[in-house]
Amino acid sequence: MTVTARRATIFALLAALMAATRLHHFAAIPDASWAVFFIGGFYLASWQRWAFPALMVLAVAVDWFVISSQGLSFWQHYCVSPAYWCLVPAYFALWAGGSLLRRHLSTSAPIAIGQLVVALVASVTICHLLAQGSFYWISASVADPTLAGWWKNYSDWLLPYMRTAALYVGVAAMAHVLLTRVLPKPATAVRPLHAD
């Protein structure tokens, strides 16, 4: 399998995972969107110009579908305020974290694990700051925003988002280790998948 075919497969899997889990935002299956953007940044860094926008369009399309299928107007839903569009830089923070991890990933397993943890924690923290902060301060959903109220909301939700992203990224990291030991090297004379 060529590098391009592998990347196309990864993109398709990430898109399917996000669509399947984002459809059920508050169901038993947690939304994988944050992990998808982080993993996408790691594997699809060279496809950033089209892969990141394509995943953003998919995220908005799924949100539109979910809201519209409930008989609600997408543009009047409480989640879709001017703050909704801050998801673009928020998700890009995740993408950038994955991309930076890929560029600086050590060949030493213990160091690589540490790098993964640092990159994921930093990316999720920044993403949450942008997504939750913009919703809290910009949307009309919060009647009387205060610094203390924002901090409580931010700190209450950070750990659940971190846990969900870590779960999906952890599974992806284990799959990466297993597959890189099983699959043959790409058929073309290009750098390995883990070094962009």
Side-chain angles (χ1 to χ4, degrees):
M1 184 183 280
T2 66
V3 172
T4 301
R6 285 186 184 183
R7 286 185 181 142
T9 301
I10 289 167
F11 177 81
L13 289 171
L14 291 175
L17 176 64
M18 183 166 67
T21 60
R22 198 173 177 97
L23 278 171
H24 308 286
H25 263 306
F26 301 105
I29 302 170
D31 180 6
S33 298
W34 290 27
V36 162
F37 282 98
F38 183 85
I39 296 165
F42 184 83
Y43 287 108
L44 307 172
S46 63
W47 286 5
Q48 178 178 308
R49 285 187 181 168
W50 73 267
F52 178 79
L55 289 172
M56 278 305 312
V57 166
L58 176 62
V60 174
V62 170
D63 289 348
W64 176 85
F65 175 78
V66 169
I67 292 169
S68 298
S69 66
Q70 295 171 353
L72 304 169
S73 165
F74 178 75
W75 299 108
Q76 294 175 345
H77 193 268
Y78 82 99
C79 281
V80 185
S81 70
Y84 181 79
W85 305 109
C86 292
L87 288 179
V88 175
Y91 287 172
F92 191 76
L94 293 162
W95 186 279
S99 182
L100 284 169
L101 174 64
R102 180 185 184 103
R103 266 188 261 154
H104 301 289
L105 191 64
S106 172
T107 54
S108 164
I111 294 173
I113 292 168
Q115 289 173 313
L116 171 60
V117 169
V118 169
L120 183 62
V121 167
S123 300
V124 169
T125 301
I126 294 168
C127 176
H128 187 51
L129 182 67
L130 294 168
Q132 181 275 340
S134 63
F135 182 78
Y136 186 87
W137 293 108
I138 299 174
S139 76
S141 296
V142 180
D144 276 327
T146 64
L147 200 54
W150 164 77
W151 176 250
K152 175 158 181 22
N153 188 275
Y154 178 83
S155 56
D156 284 351
W157 286 98
L158 179 60
L159 189 58
Y161 279 106
M162 190 77 70
R163 208 174 16 239
T164 299
L167 171 73
Y168 285 113
V169 170
V171 170
M174 288 188 288
H176 174 88
V177 169
L178 291 172
L179 291 174
T180 53
R181 292 176 187 214
V182 172
L183 293 178
K185 296 288 183 213
T188 57
V190 206
R191 288 172 289 177
L193 185 59
H194 63 273
D196 201 29

